[in-house]
């Protein structure tokens, strides 16, 4: 068999060689060329569209000369309200002098009347003559004054937390706190109605942001469930992905209260940490003004971080975060607005301290405030053509048009109402937003703020003016 | 590279002398015509020294960090095995099955390196931070994990606070005026500038600031950090904008640039050639991938860099920005009040027109002894910011007494109070800076930065010397700032002295003796440069003496 095969094979070879020899020369030449071409194709580099062309010096110069930048900023419309601000001269207490006219103040967020309090002014004055005005340095480099430490202690005791940390600017507080913990790759579930400071903090953190419907715990749970599903698919990644929920105690832009007990339930169920922005609820909610946790009777230990500014109830400047030392202490090296900014002027720190002391001495003040909120809420609700947005016990209420007809148009109408009320002695302001920058622009509204010093007569008087003006404008 | 000691003193005296006459009746260039600077003057002005680290020192420094890391791991091991007690805080039990809040390697440095020497930072003070201050004493019973106040304090010379013109005062015209504003307006504001927080005092502050800066208009904000981080996004928002940023820019500028969501390119510190290269490349190549032309390009720099003591080469930058059509953002946090014949900052120092800088930003924290920040520029720019700045829309306005402190101190600097006290402060600061720096160079320390800068960084290099330097000087009643990694490169730990007009020469002499003594004991006199000729103190202080005689 084997011998036979060999013979057959060699026979074929013989035949091939014979055929090769007999073939015409041109045939061989063409075949060889074809083979060379195929080999050439195999080894040649693939064709590239983006052939790198070196520009000549002249072309470069032309490009440089041709480039015309846009103007640094566009022209601002002449009628932009920010270019024609109302000028306040003197203290913006219960009464405020706006453009030379004395008005009842329903515009500034001085809930407890601490702005204008003589005792606070006296304490701040004493501090001014002891420490000067500025602290001339960040906390790390001799900008820590004993009054800062004192205020941090007081705030921690007041809120019943382990530690508090001070910031020099209210806006920077939550905006610095968020990126101190939440990093790239982490997930933040945020209420879509959250204020601008939170939005900027989220942007700075570079975390993945998932917005849930405003104050809608079911929507939040749906998103958390989805996340849990994804986590199961990739448990390795899930084990290092921190999860946070960001809410406000009382929403600055809506005046409603976060349903905290439900949120705490979700926290332990889905292992998410809760950060609350309490600027508008600190010194407002709860029997002792401790905020939304006290309001719902939720233990404050269940909240990972509470942030609030001292520019509303405390009527000073700056802000603070409080919580467990394990959490808060981290900001002393990682909170950008804490580390890299000059510390709060000592006199403002003392002003906040004194206001806190007054809050502790007069716990009845919070109930008084809520009573006034309810009065005003009820009165405003009865005005035809306007709608009140927010909880009755919230000192921030948003007056919207009952029949909205478009953002710009509504804003103009509300603007006219404010101006007319101002002429008649009631200071009001439209809530201002950067429409292009907001995640979700709230409907146009007049932000009404309640001051604890308002009497029932004041409220009657103010609401009747608003009602009259609204009637003529709408 | 090396700032020769020889030419500086003798060289600059005549120039400075010539300026004194001019400054008495100031307004040098209000008509827009700017005397073009001469090249030799520029050369003299940009006398900056950055002596490289000696090789042996660099090796030893790395070795030091290596040892610290090894010991860190060893102690972590001891803590884990329970031999050493753990003092750091632990998360609640309830939270055990949550994803850990911190990554473990993140805190390694803090736990094992920072904690050991944390008493050198955050020292509380209990007085006004003027030329001298009371520093509270702290003790620790658990290896620096917790520091406890003893209740006692120590009077120290203050070389740490940014109190350049000495306006951190607890009495005098500024304090009185601030007290008046407190009576009139109260401490807080409780509203934003766009709502009902626009006080007449804010408008006065802005007019005064614009006048001081010699720009069309200015807008002010409650926090210096936020002035950068909340306004840059209002300028460079949207796609197609490019930001060119100095590698050593302050965290607030970096944050502001990041919040723009645009492309950021970083150039080498104060390196004009690198700026030009990057600028040309950017314009020629356009945006990445699409190659569309950039909409606008913004160069962001600082007047004086607070860790280096270097002064930005402004005339060159202005030349570049005009040539290529970029915009210039100048952060004068440390230079306003501290540079220039009348304290008007980097533009005056270099003799350039402030209107050539598109965005003049600065803070009130340092030279004015207050808090907050400003942006000055064209009417159009300021109108835009009033309308679209994140700060004017959403943040609480500046506290009235703080604003008043700025107004009063600024008027004193401008001489609007009818005295030459402001001038005297500026001259005293310049003399102090020059004298202090020259003496340190003479002693053989490696000193960074510009000869005219009131910030004087002295290199310490080794991690152990950071703490030793700070503690030793504290023992001798001198409060200094020391900085190490991550605020500086790993091998460039340093001490930073901030001079003030409030310091007297006697004070500085005392401090210099203490520094020299500590420097000998810690072997900090690293400089390999040939020793400089003696320092002529009288030369430094001549102008101050002249002025005080006039007064």
């Amino acid at each position: 068999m084997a011998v036979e095969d060999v013979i057959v094979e060699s026979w074929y070879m013989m035949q091939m060689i014979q055929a090769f020899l007999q073939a015409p020369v041109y045939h061989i030449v063409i075949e060889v060329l074809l083979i060379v071409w195929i080999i050439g194709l195999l080894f040649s580099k693939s064709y590239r569209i983006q052939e790198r062309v070196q520009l000549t010096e002249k072309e470069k110069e032309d490009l440089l000369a041709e480039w015309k930048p846009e103007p640094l900023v566009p022209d601002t419309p002449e009628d932009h309200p920010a270019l024609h601000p109302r000028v306040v001269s003197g203290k913006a207490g219960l009464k405020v002098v706006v453009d030379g006219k004395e008005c009842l103040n329903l515009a500034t967020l001085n809930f407890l009347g601490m702005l204008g309090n003589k005792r606070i002014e006296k304490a701040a004055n004493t501090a001014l003559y002891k420490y000067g005005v500025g602290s001339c340095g960040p906390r790390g480099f001799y900008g820590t004054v004993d009054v800062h430490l004192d205020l941090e202690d007081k705030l921690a005791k007041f809120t019943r937390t382990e530690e508090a940390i001070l910031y020099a600017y209210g806006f920077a507080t939550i905006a610095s706190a968020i990126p101190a913990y939440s990093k790239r790759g982490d997930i933040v579930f945020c209420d879509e109605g959250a204020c601008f400071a939170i939005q900027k903090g989220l942007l700075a953190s570079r975390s993945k942001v998932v917005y849930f419907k405003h104050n809608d715990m079911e929507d939040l749970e749906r998103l958390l469930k989805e996340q849990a599903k994804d986590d199961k698919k990739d448990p390795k990644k899930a084990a290092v992905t921190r999860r946070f929920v960001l809410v406000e105690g009382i929403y600055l832009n809506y005046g409603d209260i976060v349903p905290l007990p439900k949120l705490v339930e979700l926290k332990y169920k889905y292992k998410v940490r809760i950060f609350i922005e309490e600027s508008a609820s600190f010194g407002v909610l709860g029997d002792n003004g401790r905020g939304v946790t006290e309001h719902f009777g939720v233990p404050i230990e269940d909240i990972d971080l509470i942030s609030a500014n001292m520019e509303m109830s405390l009527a000073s400047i700056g802000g603070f975060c409080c919580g467990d030392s394990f959490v808060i202490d981290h900001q002393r090296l990682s909170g950008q607005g804490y580390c890299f900014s000059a510390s709060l002027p000592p006199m403002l720190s003392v002003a906040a301290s004194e206001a806190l002391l007054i809050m502790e001495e007069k716990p009845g003040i919070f109930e008084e405030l809520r009573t006034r909120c309810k009065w005003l809420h009820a009165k405003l609700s009865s005005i035809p053509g306007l709608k009140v947005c927010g909880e009755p016990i919230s000192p921030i209420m948003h007056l919207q048009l009952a029949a909205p007809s478009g953002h710009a148009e509504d804003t103009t109408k509300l603007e006219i109402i404010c101006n007319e009320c101002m002429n008649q002695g009631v200071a009001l302001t439209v809530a201002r937003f950067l429409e292009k920058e907001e995640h979700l622009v709230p409907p146009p509204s007049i932000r009404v703020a309640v001051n604890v010093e308002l009497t029932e007569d004041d409220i009657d008087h103010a609401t009747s003016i608003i009602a009259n003006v609204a009637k003529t404008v709408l | 590279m090396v700032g020769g000691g020889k030419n500086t003193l003798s060289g600059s005296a005549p120039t400075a002398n010539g300026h004194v006459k001019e400054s008495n009746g100031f307004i040098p260039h209000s008509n827009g015509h700017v005397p073009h600077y001469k090249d030799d003057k520029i050369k003299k002005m940009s006398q900056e020294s950055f002596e490289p680290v000696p090789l042996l020192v660099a090796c030893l420094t790395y070795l030091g960090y290596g040892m610290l890391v090894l010991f860190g791991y060893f102690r972590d091991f001891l803590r884990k095995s329970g031999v050493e007690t753990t003092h750091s805080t632990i998360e609640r039990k309830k939270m055990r099955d949550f994803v850990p809040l911190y990554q473990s390697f993140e805190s390694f440095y803090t736990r094992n390196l920072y904690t050991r020497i944390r008493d050198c930072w955050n020292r509380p003070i209990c007085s006004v931070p003027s030329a001298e201050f009371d520093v509270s004493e702290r003790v620790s019973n658990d290896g620096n994990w917790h520091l406890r106040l003893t209740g006692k304090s120590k009077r120290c010379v203050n070389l740490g606070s940014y109190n350049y013109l000495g306006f951190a005062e607890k009495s005098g015209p500024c304090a009185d005026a601030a007290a008046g504003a407190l009576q009139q307006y109260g401490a807080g504001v409780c509203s934003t500038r766009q709502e009902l927080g626009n006080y007449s005092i804010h408008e006065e502050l802005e007019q005064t600031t614009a006048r001081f800066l010699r720009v069309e208009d200015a807008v002010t904000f409650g926090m210096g950090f936020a002035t950068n981080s909340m306004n840059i996004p209002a300028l460079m928002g949207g796609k197609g904008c490019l930001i060119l940023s100095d590698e050593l820019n302050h965290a607030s500028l970096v944050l502001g640039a990041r919040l723009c969501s645009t492309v950021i390119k970083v150039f080498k510190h104060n390196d004009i050639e690198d700026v030009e290269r990057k600028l040309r490349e950017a314009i020629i190549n356009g945006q990445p991938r699409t190659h569309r032309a950039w909409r606008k390009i913004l160069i962001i720099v600082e007047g004086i860099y607070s860790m280096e003591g270097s002064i930005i080469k402004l005339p060159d930058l202005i030349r570049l920005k005009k040539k290529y059509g970029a915009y210039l953002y100048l952060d004068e946090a440390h230079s306003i009040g501290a540079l220039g014949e009348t304290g008007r900052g980097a533009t005056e120092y270099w003799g350039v027109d402030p209107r050539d800088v598109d965005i003049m930003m600065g803070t009130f924290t340092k030279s004015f002894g207050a808090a907050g920040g400003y942006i000055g520029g064209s009417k159009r720019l300021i109108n835009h910011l009033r309308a679209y700045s994140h700060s004017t829309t959403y943040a609480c306005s500046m506290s009235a007494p703080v604003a008043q402190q700025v107004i009063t101190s600024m008027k004193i600097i401008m001489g609007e109070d009818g005295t030459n006290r402001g001038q005297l402060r500026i001259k005293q600061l310049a003399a102090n800076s020059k004298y202090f720096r020259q003496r340190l160079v003479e002693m053989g320390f490696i000193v960074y930065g510009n000869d005219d800068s009131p910030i004087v960084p002295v290199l310490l290099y080794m991690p152990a010397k950071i703490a030793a330097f700070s503690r030793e000087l504290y023992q001798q009643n001198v409060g200094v700032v020391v900085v190490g990694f991550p605020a500086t490169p790993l091998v460039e730990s340093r001490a930073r002295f901030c001079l003030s007009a409030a310091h007297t020469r006697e004070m500085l002499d005392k401090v210099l003796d203490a520094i020299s003594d500590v420097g000998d004991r810690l072997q900090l006199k690293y400089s390999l440069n040939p020793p400089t000729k003696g320092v002529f103190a009288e030369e430094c202080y001549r102008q101050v003496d002249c002025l005080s005689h006039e007064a």
Side-chain angles (χ1 to χ4, degrees):
Chain A
M1 279 284 257
V3 179
E4 232 170 275
D5 276 355
V6 172
I7 292 169
V8 171
E9 244 173 55
S10 45
W11 173 244
Y12 281 130
M13 285 291 282
M14 287 286 283
Q15 266 190 328
M16 266 177 72
I17 292 166
Q18 217 163 8
F20 183 72
L21 289 173
Q22 282 170 357
V25 179
Y26 76 91
H27 206 277
I28 292 172
V29 170
I30 288 174
E31 276 185 4
V32 168
L33 283 178
L34 273 175
I35 289 168
V36 169
W37 187 54
I38 288 167
I39 292 171
L41 268 184
L42 280 177
F43 285 93
S44 75
K45 279 181 188 164
S46 59
Y47 171 71
R48 277 192 308 184
I49 298 174
Q50 288 172 313
E51 202 62 28
R52 186 145 181 90
V53 186
Q54 280 298 327
L55 294 171
T56 63
E57 277 309 310
K58 180 163 184 318
E59 282 168 329
K60 281 185 187 174
E61 290 305 324
D62 287 348
L63 279 169
L64 288 170
E66 272 166 28
W67 184 63
K68 286 276 167 293
E70 267 180 22
L72 179 60
V73 290
D75 275 321
T76 310
E78 267 303 309
D79 58 346
H80 195 286
L83 302 186
H84 314 280
R86 300 197 184 93
V87 181
V88 175
S89 41
K91 231 164 276 178
L94 180 63
K95 294 279 165 64
V96 59
V97 179
V98 186
D99 292 332
K101 187 176 167 57
E102 193 185 73
C103 300
L104 186 70
N105 185 358
L106 288 181
T108 65
L109 310 171
N110 177 23
F111 308 139
L112 300 179
M114 297 293 184
L115 185 65
N117 186 304
K118 286 283 164 227
R119 215 176 112 183
I120 294 174
E121 271 166 31
K122 210 175 148 207
N125 198 60
T126 313
L128 168 65
Y129 281 108
K130 184 175 178 200
Y131 300 102
V133 175
S135 62
C136 287
R139 289 290 295 263
F141 303 152
Y142 303 101
T144 302
V145 183
D146 51 2
V147 294
H148 293 138
L149 299 177
D150 177 56
L151 178 56
E152 283 178 348
D153 276 353
K154 274 189 188 151
L155 283 166
K157 284 209 184 86
F158 182 85
T159 53
R160 309 244 166 119
T161 52
E162 288 177 13
E163 193 170 340
I165 182 170
L166 275 184
Y167 281 80
Y169 204 48
F171 191 96
T173 312
I174 188 72
S176 292
I178 297 169
Y181 304 99
S182 184
K183 309 281 179 192
R184 194 190 286 272
D186 296 337
I187 300 176
V188 185
F189 298 89
C190 180
D191 190 293
E192 63 178 7
C195 65
F196 198 69
I198 293 180
Q199 294 172 36
K200 289 291 121 179
L202 291 174
L203 185 59
S205 77
R206 307 185 191 192
S207 309
K208 183 181 162 193
V209 184
V210 181
Y211 284 102
F212 60 90
K213 279 190 197 131
H214 176 57
N215 246 352
D216 185 344
M217 289 300 117
E218 274 162 31
D219 193 45
L220 173 62
E221 183 156 19
R222 177 182 65 81
L223 290 164
L224 288 170
K225 265 185 194 154
E226 264 175 34
Q227 184 59 40
K229 238 187 247 167
D230 288 349
D231 286 348
K232 267 190 193 138
K233 279 182 211 152
D234 193 352
K236 250 188 192 168
K237 193 179 158 205
V240 293
T241 308
R242 283 168 283 242
R243 267 144 287 187
F244 303 90
V245 176
L246 258 165
V247 292
E248 285 179 61
I250 290 180
Y251 284 87
L252 187 64
N253 296 342
Y254 297 91
D256 45 11
I257 298 172
V258 64
L260 197 59
K262 177 73 186 161
L263 191 65
V264 173
E265 202 184 303
L266 293 178
K267 164 183 170 168
Y268 289 107
K269 195 168 168 194
Y270 295 97
K271 314 292 174 210
V272 286
R273 294 170 192 271
I274 304 177
F275 286 8
I276 309 184
E277 218 297 316
E278 285 229 58
S279 291
S281 52
F282 176 78
V284 171
L285 293 181
D287 290 340
N288 298 292
R290 293 198 192 105
V292 71
T293 46
E294 194 184 23
H295 174 74
F296 284 113
V298 170
I300 202 155
E301 297 84 37
D302 282 337
I303 312 302
D304 294 82
L305 180 131
I306 287 174
S307 155
N309 69 36
M310 307 191 292
E311 295 162 355
M312 297 181 189
S313 298
L314 294 176
S316 182
I317 298 285
F320 68 93
C321 288
C322 60
D324 287 352
S325 289
F326 176 79
V327 178
I328 299 300
D329 194 49
H330 181 65
Q331 287 179 53
R332 299 199 189 269
L333 286 174
S334 308
Q336 283 215 320
Y338 178 86
C339 298
F340 296 108
S341 159
S343 57
L344 186 65
M347 59 180 293
L348 297 174
S349 176
V350 169
S353 269
E354 195 66 24
L356 202 63
L357 213 64
I358 294 173
M359 274 163 59
E360 274 175 338
E361 285 167 14
K362 289 201 283 183
I365 196 171
F366 308 108
E367 199 47 55
E368 272 177 54
L369 176 65
R370 284 190 285 271
T371 314
R372 277 153 186 83
C373 295
K374 283 181 211 156
W375 288 345
L376 187 64
H377 192 274
K379 288 274 178 189
L380 288 175
S381 303
S382 63
I383 298 176
L386 292 175
K387 188 174 83 184
V388 190
C389 181
E391 292 280 326
I393 57 165
S394 156
I396 290 177
M397 293 165 206
H398 285 266
L399 272 182
Q400 300 169 355
L401 293 181
S405 54
H407 197 91
E409 233 173 281
D410 292 358
T411 312
T412 322
K413 271 186 199 161
L414 292 170
E415 207 80 72
I416 295 169
I417 294 179
C418 282
N419 286 339
E420 196 42 48
C421 286
M422 201 83 86
N423 288 338
Q424 301 191 25
V426 177
L428 288 174
T429 178
V430 172
R432 305 267 180 223
F433 302 101
L434 292 173
E435 278 142 39
K436 284 183 189 158
E437 310 267 333
E438 287 273 357
H439 169 68
L440 185 81
V441 186
S445 67
I446 296 173
R447 186 190 284 123
V448 182
V450 182
N451 184 327
V452 73
E453 289 163 0
L454 286 169
T455 61
E456 209 162 354
D457 287 345
D458 287 336
I459 291 173
D460 282 344
H461 175 69
T463 44
S464 68
I465 287 176
I466 298 172
N468 278 335
V469 171
K471 205 165 140 194
T472 48
V473 173
L474 301 174
Chain B
M1 203 80 193
V2 178
K6 263 188 209 168
N7 53 0
T8 346
L9 274 179
S10 49
S12 62
T15 334
N17 217 7
H19 267 269
V20 178
K21 277 175 194 157
E22 199 181 281
S23 63
N24 278 344
F26 72 97
I27 315 184
H29 27 264
S30 52
N31 54 357
H33 285 286
V34 180
H36 204 272
Y37 52 86
K38 286 176 193 138
D39 280 346
D40 58 326
K41 190 182 163 198
I42 293 275
K43 222 180 240 168
K44 222 168 283 154
M45 286 173 105
S46 58
Q47 195 69 259
E48 294 198 349
S49 110
F50 292 98
E51 191 179 331
V53 44
L55 189 66
L56 179 68
V57 177
C59 293
L60 288 173
T61 308
Y62 279 119
L63 191 70
Y65 276 105
M67 295 294 281
L68 276 169
V69 170
L70 276 181
F71 269 88
Y73 279 120
F74 180 60
R75 292 187 74 173
D76 270 1
F77 168 74
L78 290 184
R79 282 184 201 117
K80 230 179 191 173
S81 52
V83 179
E84 190 180 334
T85 37
T86 311
H87 295 286
S88 53
T89 46
I90 308 165
E91 187 147 39
R92 280 172 199 279
K93 272 188 190 148
K94 264 183 173 178
M95 307 290 292
R96 286 282 157 79
D97 47 353
F98 279 59
V99 177
L101 193 54
Y102 314 118
Q103 276 155 334
S104 57
F105 61 82
E106 244 179 75
S107 49
F108 177 83
Y109 186 85
T110 318
R111 193 169 55 238
N112 292 308
L113 280 79
Y114 170 73
T115 306
R116 301 173 74 130
I117 56 171
R118 72 194 298 176
D119 57 300
C120 300
W121 293 279
N122 301 305
R123 283 188 187 139
I125 61 170
C126 44
S127 72
V128 60
S130 56
E132 291 185 312
F133 54 7
D134 297 324
V135 181
S136 310
E137 276 184 0
R138 295 182 296 178
V139 289
S140 175
N141 303 330
D142 54 0
N144 258 356
W145 281 99
H146 297 95
L147 294 162
R148 195 164 44 79
L149 291 170
T150 60
K152 279 187 277 182
S153 70
K154 198 170 181 175
R155 191 83 183 151
C156 292
V157 178
N158 178 3
L159 283 169
S161 300
Y162 309 125
N163 176 27
Y164 298 128
L165 293 180
F167 280 109
E169 293 166 321
K170 59 179 180 176
S171 57
C174 291
D176 292 339
L182 178 67
Q183 293 304 316
Q184 195 187 342
Y185 294 98
V189 178
C190 299
S191 189
T192 68
R193 284 299 291 278
Q194 289 197 11
E195 287 171 4
L196 209 69
N198 182 52
Y199 285 4
S200 40
I201 197 168
H202 295 135
E203 303 206 330
E204 188 192 345
L205 172 65
E206 284 168 1
Q207 284 151 14
T208 315
T209 307
R211 202 161 68 239
F212 179 66
L213 296 173
R214 296 184 173 135
V215 290
E216 276 177 34
D217 202 356
V219 56
T220 56
F221 309 94
M223 183 199 202
F225 185 97
T227 307
N228 282 329
S229 63
M230 294 170 82
N231 284 304
I232 298 176
L235 299 172
M236 298 303 278
K239 276 183 189 147
C241 298
L242 173 68
I243 292 176
L244 280 175
S245 170
D246 191 292
E247 62 180 348
L248 296 182
N249 272 351
H250 188 253
S252 57
L253 292 166
V254 176
L255 178 64
R258 277 193 189 156
L259 290 177
C260 295
S261 319
T262 58
V263 181
I264 305 165
K265 282 189 181 163
V266 176
F267 59 85
K268 285 198 197 105
H269 174 56
N270 216 354
D271 184 341
I272 299 302
E273 277 163 31
D274 197 35
V275 180
E276 179 155 24
R277 197 164 43 241
K278 298 241 154 81
L279 203 51
R280 284 177 68 100
E281 261 171 33
I283 299 172
I284 290 168
N285 294 333
Q287 299 180 34
R289 293 190 28 237
T290 61
H291 293 286
R292 265 186 217 145
W294 294 102
R295 281 170 48 214
K296 51 191 170 186
I297 300 176
L298 182 69
I299 305 171
I300 303 183
V301 291
E302 290 181 45
I304 295 184
Y305 283 82
S306 69
M307 289 291 168
E308 313 294 309
S310 52
I311 298 178
I312 195 74
K313 292 171 189 152
L314 201 54
D316 291 317
L317 276 179
I318 290 179
R319 179 176 55 79
L320 285 188
K321 80 150 225 151
K322 281 186 176 164
K323 184 173 170 194
Y324 295 107
Y327 299 107
L328 185 59
Y329 187 110
L330 176 65
D331 176 342
E332 296 222 73
H334 290 271
S335 52
I336 193 72
L339 280 184
E341 286 297 320
T342 60
R344 286 178 164 83
T347 50
E348 191 183 34
Y349 175 78
W350 290 108
V352 296
D353 189 341
R355 276 164 289 189
D356 280 340
V357 178
D358 300 277
I359 301 129
M360 295 270 283
M361 180 271 167
T363 67
F364 297 132
T365 317
K366 281 102 185 177
S367 294
F368 305 97
Y374 65 79
I375 286 183
S378 66
K379 189 92 197 149
R380 186 182 189 180
L381 170 79
I382 302 306
N383 279 349
H384 178 80
L385 289 177
R386 283 188 203 286
Y388 302 108
S389 159
H390 298 176
S391 189
T392 56
T393 322
Y394 294 105
C396 188
S397 326
M398 192 191 275
S399 160
V402 176
Q404 186 60 55
Q405 162 85 14
V406 182
I407 295 171
T408 312
S409 57
M410 208 176 254
K411 282 184 175 168
I412 292 176
I413 296 171
M414 288 194 281
E416 287 183 11
D417 62 336
T419 68
N420 68 354
R421 280 187 219 141
Q423 266 303 305
L424 198 58
R425 283 173 193 255
I426 292 166
K427 292 285 177 287
Q428 178 80 37
L429 174 66
N432 283 346
S433 308
K434 204 157 254 178
Y435 176 67
F436 193 78
R437 176 180 287 269
Q438 293 299 322
R439 284 284 309 270
L440 287 176
V441 171
E442 184 201 32
M443 288 173 194
F445 288 101
I446 293 186
V447 182
Y448 269 12
N450 194 297
D451 284 352
D452 295 316
S453 141
I455 296 170
V456 184
V458 166
L459 273 289
L460 304 173
Y461 299 114
M462 293 170 207
K465 291 186 183 180
I466 300 175
F469 188 74
S470 175
R471 288 172 187 161
E472 286 291 328
L473 280 173
Y474 181 58
Q475 282 299 315
Q476 304 202 32
N477 292 29
V478 183
V480 294
V481 166
V482 285
V483 268
F485 182 78
T488 66
L490 191 64
V491 288
E492 287 181 23
S493 303
R494 62 195 70 174
R496 186 186 62 186
F497 304 106
C498 290
L499 277 305
S500 164
H503 293 134
T504 60
R505 203 184 129 193
E506 292 70 41
M507 247 177 223
L508 294 183
D509 279 334
K510 204 185 96 192
V511 169
L512 283 162
D513 288 345
I515 293 173
S516 183
D517 171 48
V518 173
D520 283 331
R521 280 191 285 136
L522 300 180
Q523 300 191 345
L524 289 170
K525 296 176 176 174
Y526 296 115
S527 181
L528 301 175
N529 287 337
T532 55
K533 256 199 223 160
V535 178
F536 305 108
E538 282 66 34
E539 194 85 31
C540 294
Y541 284 98
R542 201 169 58 204
Q543 292 185 40
V544 179
D545 294 339
C546 281
L547 267 180
S548 44
H549 280 306
E550 273 175 42

